[in-house]
Amino acid sequence: LTWERLRELSRDGCTVAVHGYYHLMLNQDLYDKDPKGFIKEIYASRKALEEKLNTKISAFVYPNGVYSDITKETVKEAGYLCAFTIRWGPLSSPLRQNENPYEIPRYMVYENNWGMISNSIVRAAADDDQKRCNVNEFAVRSSGTLPSSLTWITSPSRTPF
């Protein structure tokens, strides 16, 4: 992506996240061997993006999905609101509703794995819909009104946070 394209995406409402300065693996080993480099990955990358895009960056994506306790602590101390792993799994929206905002699952897409990922997402959505339908059907029959968990369908949040 060019800076101009990234600015355009940001202006159009896409959330831009930090992904490290040199894309180093942010684990305890890096912290122990090169604490300044470790810190630069988290802070300098954000500074560069914020200056170039003229916007606040509040999300972090662990390079290669690698992180440790010190990484999560440092990302949180740096003021990020959330961080994404490469563990597959469901997430809640808005993101603040997730159990641990510094270990949010995501799907890492490669050239040949989209079929597997899309099948996983569809299966998870179907399972979730079935659970939700059973619960919501009971709630509607019991109260005669739609449960508040369905209001996102008609009034989505404008921010993922």
Side-chain angles (χ1 to χ4, degrees), residues 102-120:
Y102 299 97
E103 291 184 21
I104 296 177
R106 72 179 171 108
Y107 294 89
M108 190 168 178
V109 179
Y110 291 102
E111 183 177 342
N112 297 320
N113 74 342
W114 174 244
M116 182 173 55
I117 289 173
S118 61
N119 287 336
S120 176

Side-chain angles (χ1 to χ4, degrees), residues 12-13 17 33 35 49 51 60-61 65 71-72 74 81 91 93 101 108 117 121 126 129 133 141-142 146 152 157:
D12 287 347
K33 289 180 180 174
L49 281 172
E51 287 175 359
F60 193 89
V61 180
T71 315
K72 290 187 297 184
T74 307
L81 299 178
L91 61 97
S93 179
M108 190 168 178
I117 289 173
I121 293 170
D129 281 347
C133 286
R141 271 191 279 122
S142 300
L146 288 174
W152 68 270
S157 172

Side-chain angles (χ1 to χ4, degrees), residues 2-127:
T2 64
W3 282 111
E4 184 51 40
R5 182 65 180 131
L6 201 52
R7 276 191 284 277
E8 184 180 315
L9 288 168
S10 179
R11 281 192 306 267
D12 287 347
C14 290
T15 298
V16 176
V18 170
H19 198 53
Y21 199 81
Y22 294 114
H23 204 259
L24 300 178
M25 297 201 190
L26 296 173
N27 55 20
Q28 186 68 47
D29 189 47
L30 177 63
Y31 180 79
D32 292 341
K33 289 180 180 174
D34 184 8
K36 286 183 182 179
F38 180 91
I39 296 297
K40 182 176 184 173
E41 286 294 305
I42 295 169
Y43 285 88
S45 52
R46 178 190 219 170
K47 183 176 187 237
L49 281 172
E50 288 181 342
E51 287 175 359
K52 289 281 192 177
L53 302 178
N54 196 30
T55 190
K56 178 93 170 117
I57 306 293
S58 56
F60 193 89
V61 180
Y62 301 115
N64 298 300
V66 175
Y67 63 98
S68 63
D69 288 342
I70 190 66
T71 315
K72 290 187 297 184
E73 290 170 26
T74 307
V75 165
K76 186 175 182 177
E77 288 170 5
Y80 292 96
L81 299 178
C82 63
F84 292 84
T85 69
I86 56 170
R87 282 190 344 265
W88 291 15
L91 61 97
S92 298
S93 179
L95 294 177
R96 67 179 168 272
Q97 292 179 352
N98 288 279
E99 185 178 322
N100 186 337
Y102 299 97
E103 291 184 21
I104 296 177
R106 72 179 171 108
Y107 294 89
M108 190 168 178
V109 179
Y110 291 102
E111 183 177 342
N112 297 320
N113 74 342
W114 174 244
M116 182 173 55
I117 289 173
S118 61
N119 287 336
S120 176
I121 293 170
V122 168
R123 275 193 310 275
D127 290 347

